[in-house]
Amino acid sequence: MRTLPLLSLLVVLPALGALALRWVKPPEAQRRLALGVTALTLALTAGVLALFQTALHGPQLQETWFRVPGLGMVLRLGVEGMSVLALPLAALLTLGLVAAGPRHSLDRSTLRVLLLTESLTLGFFCAEDLFLMCVLFIGSLVPAGQLIWRDARSRPEARALRTFRTYMVAGTLPLLGVLGLVGMTGWSAGAEAPFGLAELAERGLPPAWQGLLFALLMLAVCVRMAVVPFHSWLPVLMARGPFGLSALLVNVHAGLYLLARVVMPLLPDEWNQVAPALGALGLVSALYGAVLAMAQTDLRRVVGFLVVSQSGMLLTGLALGNTQGIAGSLLQSVAAGIALTGLNLVVRALEARTGTADVTRLGGLVRRAPRLAAFFFLMGFASIGFPGTLSFVGEDLLLHGILDAHPLVALPLLLTTAINGITLLRAFQRTFLGTPAHGQAPVLETVQDMLPRERWAVFALFALMVLGGVAPQPLLHLRASHVDALVGHVAE
């Protein structure tokens, strides 16, 4: 019998690391502590992955601690087909940010926020109670908001604070409404666990409230996924916000998980009715993000709009409802998270060396920083489905699913991929191969290449992309039962 509360330890460990940073004074010791905590957290997620049994359906490794009096919330943790890959993804991205991030950006406050955000995100993916899930979904935004508030008071970052706060409030209030409605129906029915996901699936939601609940949940999801027209907070946060927070908030795809774990299983009729409109919204978001990414000169904003474009593609694939589309969307969420985080790390390393991420002020860096140029090229094209990478498999499945359901929709998505490729190729040419900007040549001649810790971190992310592209079947097998269940819900 398993006695070690593995999931609880996994969720609590990063928070304990953030607390321990309070008493660690030397900056280098702080970074070593954060690196050790994130590495141990990743090892624990590997243990969860090893214990997960793909032949079983439903939550596994469940841990139930206590019920919150007066609220009906049960502190219950578990892991199933959707979250079994989300846990190592969140832990891997946090480890990469801490290991390869610029040292001047990783002060004590930033490290604490990264660890707290990781802890809350892991708790969200493990939660088996809707109340607990929504609390952690909202709570994961709080550390980032506090850090942005600190930066806005010390530097001219008021726009980032205002935009982030506006959209996060817009994504938080609907969830509070969902909890109120679900709680009232559960308490009136005398349910022992009014917010338990298993109990909600068995009991069902009142038909009179299903339309409103679906609208509230979709609003929260679209804001968190940065789907057009709720996207403008992400490029601003990517360019102006604290290091790593935007990547950790978006690239783990918590909004997509909320769709696949709550919305589709509990509200299949509403999902079927609105799925064509959601597919169109995702298509518009993917193409719009690609076009805006092409128009940017700041590499940080380029990455931000690429994330918007990828989010639109994921929503389109999930909205189609067939096996290939859903499996491709879920697999592509992992691939895009890894690749775009690696690309963001390269851009931040470039900015730390040159003092800018504006391509109009750069050029010719391949002579001074060939490894930086190589990793920018590799991670950039790994993010848009270059053959031999995990994103190629994810996009191939996604596009095949779209071709089976709506062949005409595949053409704009292919155009989106082409535009993203052109954007990255132009950015690479202007940054690394072009002529240095006027007056910038003396500065660019002093640029150093990537440090060993940066090279190893980004190389590890790229190696995972290649390994997943060569052997994607284990990843697909982990989520096969969950994909089949989602398809069954929609079909019924």
Side-chain angles (χ1 to χ4, degrees):
M1 179 180 293
R2 184 180 56 88
T3 58
L4 179 67
L6 186 58
L7 296 181
S8 300
L9 183 60
L10 173 67
V11 172
V12 170
L13 180 60
L16 293 177
L19 181 63
L21 284 173
R22 180 188 297 269
W23 293 282
V24 180
K25 300 299 182 183
E28 191 59 36
Q30 295 170 6
R31 289 188 287 268
R32 285 198 300 267
L33 174 61
L35 188 62
V37 169
T38 53
L40 183 56
T41 303
L42 180 60
L44 290 177
T45 63
V48 173
L49 200 61
L51 293 173
F52 186 79
Q53 302 180 44
T54 55
L56 300 180
H57 298 280
Q60 302 179 33
L61 309 179
Q62 284 190 302
E63 302 167 10
T64 302
W65 291 100
F66 59 86
R67 185 187 308 274
V68 179
L71 294 179
M73 181 181 75
V74 180
L75 189 59
R76 181 190 302 162
L77 304 178
V79 64
E80 36 69 50
M82 183 66 181
S83 61
V84 70
L85 284 180
L87 296 177
L89 176 63
L92 175 68
L93 298 189
T94 310
L95 176 60
L97 293 171
V98 173
R103 288 296 183 242
H104 70 274
S105 298
L106 292 173
D107 57 7
R108 188 206 304 257
S109 298
T110 303
L111 289 172
R112 290 183 63 189
V113 168
L114 284 173
L115 291 176
L116 285 174
T117 304
E118 180 187 21
S119 178
L120 293 166
T121 302
L122 293 173
F124 166 76
F125 286 123
C126 291
E128 290 295 321
D129 183 274
L130 182 61
F131 197 110
L132 179 61
M133 179 181 288
C134 290
V135 167
L136 294 171
F137 186 85
I138 297 170
S140 62
L141 304 172
V142 174
Q146 291 180 338
L147 189 57
I148 294 172
W149 175 253
R150 186 206 68 175
D151 290 348
R153 296 179 66 176
S154 60
R155 298 198 303 267
E157 304 293 356
R159 183 187 174 194
L161 171 65
R162 183 171 61 251
T163 304
F164 182 78
R165 183 168 51 193
T166 300
Y167 279 99
M168 292 309 105
V169 169
T172 296
L173 294 180
L175 290 181
L176 299 180
V178 169
L179 293 180
L181 292 175
V182 172
M184 284 191 300
T185 57
W187 293 322
S188 62
E192 183 178 354
F195 298 102
L197 292 178
E199 291 81 358
L200 284 173
E202 182 179 353
R203 188 172 69 246
L205 296 171
W209 294 108
Q210 288 185 6
L212 180 57
L213 288 171
F214 181 82
L216 293 174
L217 285 168
M218 284 307 306
L219 178 58
V221 166
C222 288
V223 171
R224 189 60 171 267
M225 291 182 67
V227 173
V228 174
F230 308 104
H231 68 286
S232 60
W233 66 272
L234 177 57
V236 172
L237 187 64
M238 189 75 74
R240 302 275 185 180
F243 169 77
L245 268 300
S246 53
L248 194 55
L249 287 175
V250 178
N251 285 341
V252 294
H253 297 289
L256 191 75
Y257 178 79
L258 194 62
L259 277 181
R261 188 75 176 92
V262 177
V263 178
M264 294 177 69
L266 297 183
L267 299 165
D269 293 337
E270 283 68 21
W271 176 263
N272 280 331
Q273 293 176 8
V274 185
L278 290 177
L281 178 63
L283 182 63
V284 170
S285 183
L287 193 56
Y288 185 75
V291 172
L292 286 185
M294 178 181 282
Q296 305 304 311
T297 59
D298 190 319
L299 291 175
R300 297 169 301 180
R301 292 180 63 85
V302 169
V303 176
F305 281 111
L306 287 177
V307 175
V308 172
S309 181
Q310 289 288 339
S311 294
M313 293 182 67
L314 298 181
L315 182 60
T316 302
L318 201 64
L320 294 176
N322 57 31
T323 302
Q324 284 186 312
I326 294 176
S329 180
L330 297 181
L331 187 65
Q332 181 61 12
S333 68
V334 177
I338 296 173
L340 290 172
T341 299
L343 183 61
N344 184 49
L345 286 173
V346 176
V347 170
R348 289 291 185 163
L350 173 65
E351 182 190 10
R353 285 158 172 77
T354 62
T356 182
D358 190 344
V359 295
T360 62
R361 299 175 59 188
L362 300 170
L365 288 175
V366 69
R367 295 190 302 274
R368 295 290 305 176
R371 295 184 181 91
L372 198 63
F375 279 120
F376 183 94
F377 183 88
L378 292 174
M379 296 308 300
F381 282 88
S383 68
I384 58 170
F386 197 77
T389 63
L390 182 60
S391 56
F392 176 78
V393 180
E395 287 192 10
D396 184 65
L397 279 172
L398 194 152
L399 288 172
H400 274 84
I402 292 173
L403 283 171
D404 289 343
H406 303 283
L408 293 179
V409 177
L411 295 178
L413 287 183
L414 288 172
L415 178 61
T416 297
T417 303
I419 294 174
N420 287 337
I422 294 171
T423 298
L424 289 169
L425 187 61
R426 289 177 63 225
F428 176 78
Q429 193 277 330
R430 297 174 69 179
T431 303
F432 296 99
L433 303 181
T435 304
H438 178 69
Q440 294 294 315
V443 177
L444 298 180
E445 285 297 324
T446 63
V447 172
Q448 295 181 346
D449 209 348
M450 296 184 77
L451 299 173
R453 61 178 177 83
E454 296 171 325
R455 295 200 302 267
W456 282 111
V458 180
F459 177 78
L461 295 177
F462 180 72
L464 286 175
M465 292 292 293
V466 174
L467 181 62
V470 173
Q473 197 57 41
L475 299 179
L476 292 170
H477 188 58
L478 282 171
R479 284 177 167 171
S481 61
H482 194 82
V483 171
D484 292 340
L486 287 178
V487 175
H489 283 301
V490 174
E492 289 176 3

